[in-house]
Amino acid sequence: MNSGDVMSRIVEIRDLKKSYEDGNIKALNGISLDIEEGEFVSIIGPSGSGKSTLLNMLGALDIADSGSIRVAGYDLKENKKLNVFRGDKIGFVFQLHNLIPNISVCENVEIPMYTQGLSSKDMRKRSLELLDEVGLKDKADIRPTKLSGGERQRVAIARALANNPSIILADEPTGSLDSKTSNRILELLINLHKEEKVTLIVVTHDMEVAKLADRIIEVLDGKIINAEDGTLLENKIRVEN
Amino acid sequence: MSFLSLIIKNPFRNKSRALLAIIGIGIGIATIIALGAITEGMISSADDTLRAGGSDFTVSGKVEGESSQMVGFGTSSFDDDYVDKLANVSGVDRAVPIYMTLLMTKNSPYFAVIGMNPSDYKIAELTITDGRMYKDGTDEIVLGKIAADNEEKEVGDTILLDDKEFDIVGIYESGNSYQDQGGFTSLDNSQKLSDDEGKVSTIYIKVDKDADVETVEKRIDDEYGDNLTTISSLSDLDMVKNMIDMLNGASLAISILAVVIGAVGIINTMLTSVYERTRELGVLKAVGWSDGKILLMIIGESIVITIVAGIIGSIAGIIGVELIVLSNIMPLLTPIYTVNIFVQAFSIALFVGIIGGIYPALKAVKLPPTEALRYE
């Protein structure tokens, strides 16, 4: 990405720290990071490095101990209505799709829309549009249990897009899929990112997946390090790809 | 899909678990409905018996001790001199002597023989549907519709009561199950059946048109209160009162038990459901659902189960009571289903639903989303 591009900053993190078990486990140990609107960023690192904790912080699923974090105009350390932020600004895609088994594919995509005060008719209309985008409109009225793993993940992506989020946060979105299906899911995510101009942040431990991003951020022991040479880049905000 | 549809669908993901919870609560609701209908029936039946016909109040003999509780049901008797005495009390239009006795017949354990002068039949509000009224000085009897069916008798047949044969000359309906399961004959006949000649068990009092019932009642109480007792309402009857208190007490105890057992059952069901759906609840939080909405959903699901249990329990309760009626285990039972019974049952169902849903719902809300999403 060229530093000369005029883009607004959608993520602004400064010296973010988070520890668990009375400070014994330092999940995030002073992370500073900026992400521009419309960027595709991948966060890589080994298990326990803090990459998922960072993603949870970005989606306001977890609260930091210290430092500051602003996402899509929300101060996530001060704001109390984090569910509103999540509903309006974030679309999550998890490693496991976590679809509700007893309702239809279409109804699963409608789930985030319950926060938006839409009528049942409008919810279904929007849901069908999204399922069309992910190529599953013909399976709208069947149960997710009848779908393959890849199809379920596509439903989960449609669900993530339900409320026109500013950012899609994907935690190992291809982690439970075979390589052929993985490629299709990644292709879908990247196309949506480009078409909808939505910021895409993907946590992965797969370097092949990470390389598809505009920028790779490597996390180790709760800190951001340079992806190429492993040099510690404490206090350095941007990591050029 | 509306939020309400989601709430209605969710409890039935695991159908066998939902069904077990519904059966558990439904049994409590069925018992509440059945006991309620039986109690209401008994109250109404006792009330009808007391007010038999167009009397304003009844007078019975006063007996000290335990047996006083049986007053009004024809098991205690007093001298028939009082009939004339009461007829002469100021404000009394008519004093109608009645002698009631319960006999056992071939087909019925409780056959009420009610002795009354045939000229007084209007006060008993009998409608002769077949044949005619009995005559004084004969062995004639008229049978209630239910008694005629039970005994398989019709006009022209005879019936054996306590080794004495009576000619059935008419069939009547009074709308009072107690009376319709027995028969009316002359005062003389019923007294003889109990070897209790010169006695009556009850006197029906009809006051003058312009007289005040309470004033007349007080006059009788003042003058004959030592030996007689006036009964104008159910609450005057210790026996009936005690019985209804007992049934109401049993109803209350069962309602409390139903609430406790139902609440424990539904808490268990909903907690299991919440644990099973931990990841899903994490997703709901991740997509922006507020704690309030999740709380509402879980409590709503709990209420759906208890309301379904309320409906099924009510139907089961009615079927149960009707089976008791059909089997003739309680021959005098005429159940009455009032709106109040169903309101009470559904209020309990709703209460159990809310109480049973709160704890699991709070558990669901308190789950940190990150932990919920990691849950295996």
Side-chain angles (χ1 to χ4, degrees):
Chain A
M1 178 164 301
N2 192 317
S3 56
D5 287 352
V6 182
M7 296 180 96
S8 61
R9 202 165 281 172
I10 198 160
V11 172
E12 217 176 285
I13 297 175
R14 294 290 177 274
D15 199 24
L16 205 65
K17 288 183 180 170
K18 176 74 183 178
S19 57
Y20 297 105
E21 297 186 8
D22 295 331
N24 292 329
I25 299 173
K26 288 190 168 60
L28 297 182
N29 195 11
I31 291 229
S32 295
L33 169 71
D34 284 356
I35 295 171
E36 304 297 333
E37 199 174 339
E39 236 187 317
F40 172 13
V41 173
S42 60
I43 302 172
I44 60 164
S47 292
S49 60
K51 59 185 191 302
S52 286
T53 305
L54 177 58
L55 197 81
N56 289 339
M57 294 288 168
L58 287 166
L61 291 177
D62 210 345
I63 311 282
D65 297 334
S66 65
S68 69
I69 174 166
R70 280 187 77 82
V71 180
Y74 279 74
D75 184 336
L76 301 187
K77 278 211 74 192
E78 301 301 323
N79 202 303
K80 301 287 178 220
K81 297 235 167 194
L82 295 178
N83 65 296
V84 176
F85 161 77
R86 289 194 293 263
D88 290 350
K89 300 292 180 189
I90 304 292
F92 283 98
V93 178
F94 305 100
Q95 179 174 357
L96 292 171
H97 48 81
N98 292 326
L99 298 175
I100 301 176
N102 65 313
I103 58 175
S104 71
V105 164
C106 184
E107 288 161 348
N108 264 282
V109 178
E110 289 172 17
I111 287 291
M113 300 180 208
Y114 286 102
T115 60
Q116 306 295 311
L118 295 176
S119 69
S120 301
K121 203 178 155 191
D122 288 344
M123 276 164 57
R124 183 170 169 85
K125 189 172 167 240
R126 168 87 181 131
S127 177
L128 289 173
E129 282 169 13
L130 291 164
L131 285 170
D132 197 20
E133 276 190 63
V134 299
L136 285 174
K137 196 178 177 184
D138 57 327
K139 300 202 169 166
D141 293 316
I142 64 170
R143 299 280 168 92
T145 43
K146 301 261 170 69
L147 300 180
S148 69
E151 285 173 329
R152 288 179 200 182
Q153 198 59 304
R154 275 149 69 190
V155 177
I157 290 169
R159 181 180 64 189
L161 292 166
N163 293 344
N164 285 316
S166 307
I167 306 176
I168 290 182
L169 299 177
D171 192 357
E172 305 278 9
T174 59
S176 60
L177 303 173
D178 60 64
S179 60
K180 198 176 159 190
T181 316
S182 288
N183 289 339
R184 280 201 202 137
I185 291 294
L186 286 168
E187 202 179 320
L188 176 66
L189 272 175
I190 293 165
N191 285 341
L192 288 169
H193 146 72
K194 284 178 181 162
E195 285 165 18
E196 311 271 335
K197 299 197 172 28
V198 61
T199 308
L200 178 61
I201 303 174
V202 177
V203 160
T204 181
H205 63 270
D206 184 342
M207 204 54 204
E208 293 306 309
V209 174
K211 277 179 183 169
L212 297 168
D214 300 331
R215 190 150 63 103
I216 300 172
I217 292 162
E218 190 175 357
V219 180
L220 187 67
D221 296 333
K223 295 182 181 189
I224 293 175
I225 57 167
N226 185 303
E228 277 81 20
D229 58 10
T231 312
L232 198 65
L233 291 176
E234 231 174 2
N235 300 324
K236 185 170 179 183
I237 295 161
R238 301 289 301 270
V239 180
E240 297 299 331
N241 190 1
Chain B
M1 183 177 54
S2 69
F3 185 50
L4 185 66
S5 308
L6 182 70
I7 290 174
I8 293 171
K9 270 188 181 183
N10 270 342
F12 302 102
R13 287 189 202 189
N14 188 327
K15 289 189 178 63
S16 51
R17 190 169 61 214
L19 189 70
L20 283 174
I22 287 167
I23 290 172
I25 302 156
I27 289 171
I29 299 291
T31 316
I32 291 166
I33 294 282
L35 267 181
I38 291 171
T39 310
E40 288 288 338
M42 290 182 95
I43 292 170
S44 167
S45 176
D47 224 10
D48 283 352
T49 308
L50 272 184
R51 296 178 191 288
S55 70
D56 291 311
F57 58 91
T58 61
V59 176
S60 291
K62 198 169 202 176
V63 186
E64 296 305 323
E66 288 289 307
S67 56
S68 67
Q69 294 193 344
M70 299 304 283
V71 156
F73 278 79
T75 51
S76 68
S77 61
F78 55 100
D79 287 343
D80 61 5
D81 307 351
Y82 284 108
V83 178
D84 288 340
K85 287 178 185 167
L86 293 184
N88 290 327
V89 170
S90 168
V92 172
D93 176 28
R94 289 166 73 195
V96 176
I98 303 287
Y99 194 96
M100 282 191 266
T101 187
L102 282 176
L103 295 176
M104 193 184 281
T105 65
K106 200 174 72 184
N107 295 336
S108 172
Y110 308 104
F111 185 94
V113 179
I114 303 161
M116 187 179 73
N117 294 323
S119 56
D120 290 327
Y121 81 97
K122 273 187 181 163
I123 208 163
E125 289 181 340
L126 303 184
T127 307
I128 302 288
T129 55
D130 194 15
R132 60 170 174 81
M133 196 62 185
Y134 58 87
K135 287 178 183 155
D136 233 348
T138 64
D139 290 336
E140 292 174 352
I141 191 168
V142 289
L143 292 191
K145 180 82 172 62
I146 302 169
D149 288 345
N150 285 348
E151 305 293 334
E152 295 164 352
K153 300 285 187 191
E154 53 187 43
V155 174
D157 290 345
T158 58
I159 183 167
L160 203 61
L161 296 171
D162 216 12
D163 296 332
K164 185 173 166 57
E165 202 166 64
F166 286 85
D167 299 321
I168 300 165
V169 296
I171 307 291
Y172 67 84
E173 277 184 272
S174 70
N176 172 345
S177 62
Y178 178 74
Q179 287 185 358
D180 286 355
Q181 290 186 59
F184 275 76
T185 185
S186 68
L187 192 61
D188 199 32
N189 282 342
S190 65
Q191 286 168 337
K192 277 181 187 160
L193 276 175
S194 294
D195 294 327
D196 210 11
E197 283 140 299
K199 303 274 186 176
V200 292
S201 49
T202 306
I203 299 171
Y204 288 169
I205 301 291
K206 183 85 187 159
V207 303
D208 286 333
K209 268 181 191 163
D210 51 355
D212 176 55
V213 176
E214 277 182 35
T215 313
V216 177
E217 212 180 331
K218 194 170 178 304
R219 273 182 206 139
I220 294 172
D221 277 337
D222 288 348
E223 203 161 338
Y224 302 105
D226 290 344
N227 301 316
L228 302 179
T229 183
T230 56
I231 301 157
S232 57
S233 73
L234 266 184
S235 55
D236 290 347
L237 264 183
D238 281 353
M239 184 198 72
V240 175
K241 194 166 174 271
N242 288 349
M243 196 167 65
I244 289 164
D245 281 352
M246 195 183 76
L247 278 170
N248 282 335
S251 253
L252 181 71
I254 287 169
S255 302
I256 293 169
L257 262 178
V259 169
V260 173
I261 295 170
V264 170
I266 195 84
I267 288 173
N268 181 43
T269 302
M270 293 310 298
L271 268 184
T272 314
S273 167
V274 164
Y275 283 128
E276 275 180 8
R277 290 151 68 194
T278 300
R279 291 183 71 96
E280 182 188 310
L281 291 166
V283 172
L284 294 181
K285 289 181 179 207
V287 302
W289 280 38
S290 64
D291 287 350
K293 203 167 192 73
I294 292 172
L295 200 78
L296 198 65
M297 181 180 76
I298 305 288
I299 293 176
E301 290 173 16
S302 173
I303 291 173
V304 165
I305 291 180
T306 55
I307 292 294
V308 172
I311 295 168
I312 293 175
S314 297
I315 295 168
I318 294 170
I319 293 173
V321 170
E322 292 305 319
L323 283 177
I324 292 174
V325 170
L326 281 177
S327 67
N328 221 16
I329 298 169
M330 295 170 74
L332 296 178
L333 175 67
T334 313
I336 293 177
Y337 306 98
T338 61
V339 174
N340 199 26
I341 298 171
F342 294 96
V343 169
Q344 188 194 347
F346 277 86
S347 304
I348 288 170
L350 192 67
F351 181 67
V352 168
I354 295 168
I355 291 291
I358 285 176
Y359 177 65
L362 287 174
K363 275 265 179 196
V365 164
K366 279 183 185 164
L367 273 172
T370 47
E371 269 182 43
L373 288 164
R374 269 202 305 266
Y375 188 84
E376 295 292 335

